[in-house]
Amino acid sequence: MAISISATGFKGGLGSCFHSVAGGEYGTLAKSVPKHVGAGKGVRAQPMMKNVNEGKGLFAPVVVVTRQIVGKKRFNQLRGKAIALHSQVINEFCKSIGADTKQKQGLIRLAKKNGERLGFLA
């Protein structure tokens, strides 16, 4: 029995070549093999962006209690406003000392790391 490989894109396909070579066995083999084999998609958990210092830091307990009191949605709105204001302060500071964009980005990254360590992003 001959083993055959099927490919698309050729006129008539490779099956016509193998049919004559294999003496008619290709037709039987081709009918027994499904044309499309679907691979099921596995269930994948959503990636979560988490702070490695969550629950740690001086201000973490205050942040957690505040989130529970005002609710997660309102808390995230307030946090977003605070981060925006802090970024504006950093921008104004960079303008006053004449820092370039790269230095400003470095200061913003440093502020984020410090906020994580202190527990503001808990």
Short mmCIF file of all heavy atoms in Angstrom, two decimals, residues 5 15-16 25-26 31 34-35 39 41 47 49 54 63 81 87 89 96 99 103-104 107-108 110-112 120:
data_model
loop_
_atom_site.label_atom_id
_atom_site.label_comp_id
_atom_site.label_asym_id
_atom_site.label_seq_id
_atom_site.Cartn_x
_atom_site.Cartn_y
_atom_site.Cartn_z
N ILE A 5 0.46 11.96 0.11
CA ILE A 5 0.32 13.27 0.73
C ILE A 5 -0.51 14.11 -0.20
O ILE A 5 -0.23 14.18 -1.40
CB ILE A 5 1.70 13.92 0.93
CG1 ILE A 5 2.56 13.04 1.84
CG2 ILE A 5 1.55 15.32 1.51
CD1 ILE A 5 3.99 13.50 1.93
N GLY A 15 -3.50 14.27 -6.00
CA GLY A 15 -4.21 12.99 -5.97
C GLY A 15 -4.24 12.31 -7.32
O GLY A 15 -4.17 11.08 -7.41
N SER A 16 -4.35 13.08 -8.39
CA SER A 16 -4.41 12.46 -9.71
C SER A 16 -3.10 11.76 -10.02
O SER A 16 -3.08 10.72 -10.66
CB SER A 16 -4.73 13.52 -10.77
OG SER A 16 -3.75 14.55 -10.74
N GLU A 25 -5.52 2.79 -5.12
CA GLU A 25 -5.63 2.76 -3.66
C GLU A 25 -5.81 4.15 -3.08
O GLU A 25 -6.31 4.31 -1.98
CB GLU A 25 -4.39 2.10 -3.06
CG GLU A 25 -4.27 0.64 -3.40
CD GLU A 25 -2.99 0.05 -2.85
OE1 GLU A 25 -2.27 0.75 -2.13
OE2 GLU A 25 -2.72 -1.12 -3.14
N TYR A 26 -5.41 5.18 -3.81
CA TYR A 26 -5.51 6.55 -3.31
C TYR A 26 -6.96 6.93 -3.06
O TYR A 26 -7.27 7.55 -2.05
CB TYR A 26 -4.87 7.54 -4.28
CG TYR A 26 -5.10 8.97 -3.87
CD1 TYR A 26 -4.36 9.53 -2.84
CD2 TYR A 26 -6.08 9.74 -4.47
CE1 TYR A 26 -4.58 10.81 -2.43
CE2 TYR A 26 -6.32 11.03 -4.07
CZ TYR A 26 -5.56 11.57 -3.05
OH TYR A 26 -5.79 12.85 -2.65
N LYS A 31 -10.91 8.84 0.79
CA LYS A 31 -12.27 8.87 1.32
C LYS A 31 -12.30 8.58 2.81
O LYS A 31 -13.18 9.04 3.52
CB LYS A 31 -13.14 7.85 0.57
CG LYS A 31 -13.44 8.25 -0.85
CD LYS A 31 -14.24 7.19 -1.55
CE LYS A 31 -14.39 7.54 -3.03
NZ LYS A 31 -15.01 6.48 -3.77
N PRO A 34 -10.47 12.45 6.78
CA PRO A 34 -11.24 13.69 6.69
C PRO A 34 -10.42 14.80 6.03
O PRO A 34 -9.21 14.88 6.20
CB PRO A 34 -11.56 14.03 8.15
CG PRO A 34 -10.55 13.30 8.95
CD PRO A 34 -10.18 12.08 8.15
N LYS A 35 -11.11 15.65 5.26
CA LYS A 35 -10.42 16.73 4.57
C LYS A 35 -9.98 17.82 5.52
O LYS A 35 -8.93 18.42 5.35
CB LYS A 35 -11.32 17.32 3.49
CG LYS A 35 -11.55 16.39 2.35
CD LYS A 35 -12.32 17.06 1.25
CE LYS A 35 -12.49 16.05 0.12
NZ LYS A 35 -12.87 16.66 -1.11
N ALA A 39 -8.84 21.72 15.16
CA ALA A 39 -8.27 21.64 16.49
C ALA A 39 -9.10 22.52 17.40
O ALA A 39 -9.28 23.70 17.13
CB ALA A 39 -6.82 22.12 16.48
N LYS A 41 -10.26 24.88 20.36
CA LYS A 41 -9.55 25.91 21.11
C LYS A 41 -9.66 25.61 22.59
O LYS A 41 -10.73 25.34 23.11
CB LYS A 41 -10.17 27.28 20.84
CG LYS A 41 -9.89 27.78 19.44
CD LYS A 41 -10.35 29.20 19.29
CE LYS A 41 -9.98 29.71 17.92
NZ LYS A 41 -10.31 31.12 17.77
N PRO A 47 -5.58 37.18 31.01
CA PRO A 47 -4.40 37.66 31.72
C PRO A 47 -4.78 38.78 32.67
O PRO A 47 -5.62 39.62 32.36
CB PRO A 47 -3.50 38.19 30.59
CG PRO A 47 -4.42 38.47 29.47
CD PRO A 47 -5.56 37.51 29.60
N MET A 49 -3.48 41.91 35.04
CA MET A 49 -2.41 42.83 35.38
C MET A 49 -2.48 43.03 36.89
O MET A 49 -3.43 43.60 37.40
CB MET A 49 -2.61 44.16 34.66
CG MET A 49 -2.70 44.06 33.17
SD MET A 49 -1.14 44.10 32.35
CE MET A 49 -0.56 45.70 32.77
N GLU A 54 0.96 43.97 45.80
CA GLU A 54 -0.42 44.17 46.23
C GLU A 54 -0.59 43.74 47.68
O GLU A 54 -0.20 42.64 48.07
CB GLU A 54 -1.39 43.39 45.34
CG GLU A 54 -2.83 43.72 45.64
CD GLU A 54 -3.76 43.21 44.57
OE1 GLU A 54 -3.31 42.81 43.51
OE2 GLU A 54 -4.97 43.21 44.83
N VAL A 63 -5.80 52.14 51.11
CA VAL A 63 -6.28 52.00 49.74
C VAL A 63 -7.35 50.91 49.65
O VAL A 63 -8.40 51.10 49.04
CB VAL A 63 -5.10 51.71 48.78
CG1 VAL A 63 -5.60 51.34 47.40
CG2 VAL A 63 -4.16 52.90 48.71
N LYS A 81 -7.90 60.09 38.26
CA LYS A 81 -7.74 61.54 38.40
C LYS A 81 -6.48 61.88 39.18
O LYS A 81 -5.75 62.82 38.82
CB LYS A 81 -8.97 62.14 39.09
CG LYS A 81 -10.20 62.17 38.21
CD LYS A 81 -11.38 62.76 38.93
CE LYS A 81 -12.62 62.69 38.06
NZ LYS A 81 -13.79 63.23 38.76
N SER A 87 0.83 63.32 37.20
CA SER A 87 1.57 63.41 35.94
C SER A 87 1.72 64.87 35.51
O SER A 87 2.76 65.26 34.99
CB SER A 87 0.87 62.61 34.84
OG SER A 87 0.90 61.24 35.14
N VAL A 89 1.86 67.43 37.53
CA VAL A 89 2.87 68.02 38.42
C VAL A 89 4.27 67.65 37.93
O VAL A 89 5.17 68.51 37.88
CB VAL A 89 2.65 67.56 39.88
CG1 VAL A 89 3.82 67.94 40.77
CG2 VAL A 89 1.35 68.12 40.42
N SER A 96 10.01 73.27 34.30
CA SER A 96 10.70 74.30 35.07
C SER A 96 12.21 74.04 35.17
O SER A 96 12.99 74.99 35.25
CB SER A 96 10.10 74.43 36.48
OG SER A 96 10.37 73.26 37.23
N ALA A 99 14.00 69.65 31.72
CA ALA A 99 14.26 68.24 31.46
C ALA A 99 13.66 67.84 30.11
O ALA A 99 12.60 68.32 29.71
CB ALA A 99 13.67 67.37 32.57
N GLN A 103 13.96 62.14 30.20
CA GLN A 103 14.06 62.31 31.65
C GLN A 103 12.68 62.34 32.29
O GLN A 103 12.46 61.79 33.37
CB GLN A 103 14.82 63.60 31.97
CG GLN A 103 16.30 63.51 31.63
CD GLN A 103 16.99 64.86 31.79
OE1 GLN A 103 16.39 65.90 31.53
NE2 GLN A 103 18.25 64.82 32.18
N LYS A 104 11.73 63.00 31.60
CA LYS A 104 10.36 63.07 32.11
C LYS A 104 9.75 61.67 32.20
O LYS A 104 9.12 61.32 33.20
CB LYS A 104 9.51 63.97 31.20
CG LYS A 104 8.08 64.12 31.65
CD LYS A 104 7.33 65.13 30.81
CE LYS A 104 7.12 64.60 29.42
NZ LYS A 104 6.23 65.44 28.60
N LEU A 107 11.10 59.89 35.17
CA LEU A 107 10.50 60.33 36.43
C LEU A 107 9.11 59.74 36.62
O LEU A 107 8.73 59.37 37.74
CB LEU A 107 10.43 61.86 36.47
CG LEU A 107 11.76 62.58 36.68
CD1 LEU A 107 11.58 64.08 36.53
CD2 LEU A 107 12.33 62.25 38.04
N ILE A 108 8.34 59.64 35.54
CA ILE A 108 7.00 59.04 35.64
C ILE A 108 7.11 57.56 36.01
O ILE A 108 6.36 57.07 36.85
CB ILE A 108 6.22 59.26 34.33
CG1 ILE A 108 5.88 60.75 34.19
CG2 ILE A 108 4.95 58.42 34.30
CD1 ILE A 108 5.25 61.13 32.87
N LEU A 110 9.56 56.19 37.68
CA LEU A 110 10.00 56.17 39.07
C LEU A 110 8.82 56.42 40.01
O LEU A 110 8.69 55.76 41.05
CB LEU A 110 11.09 57.21 39.28
CG LEU A 110 11.65 57.32 40.69
CD1 LEU A 110 12.34 56.00 41.08
CD2 LEU A 110 12.63 58.47 40.78
N ALA A 111 7.95 57.35 39.65
CA ALA A 111 6.77 57.64 40.47
C ALA A 111 5.86 56.42 40.56
O ALA A 111 5.32 56.11 41.63
CB ALA A 111 6.00 58.83 39.89
N LYS A 112 5.72 55.70 39.46
CA LYS A 112 4.88 54.50 39.47
C LYS A 112 5.48 53.43 40.37
O LYS A 112 4.79 52.80 41.17
CB LYS A 112 4.70 53.95 38.05
CG LYS A 112 3.77 52.76 38.00
CD LYS A 112 3.51 52.29 36.59
CE LYS A 112 2.48 51.18 36.64
NZ LYS A 112 2.92 49.97 36.03
N PHE A 120 0.14 52.50 47.10
CA PHE A 120 -0.91 53.28 46.48
C PHE A 120 -1.61 52.51 45.35
O PHE A 120 -2.74 52.82 45.01
CB PHE A 120 -0.35 54.58 45.91
CG PHE A 120 -0.02 55.60 46.96
CD1 PHE A 120 1.27 56.04 47.14
CD2 PHE A 120 -1.01 56.10 47.80
CE1 PHE A 120 1.58 56.98 48.10
CE2 PHE A 120 -0.72 57.03 48.76
CZ PHE A 120 0.57 57.47 48.93
#
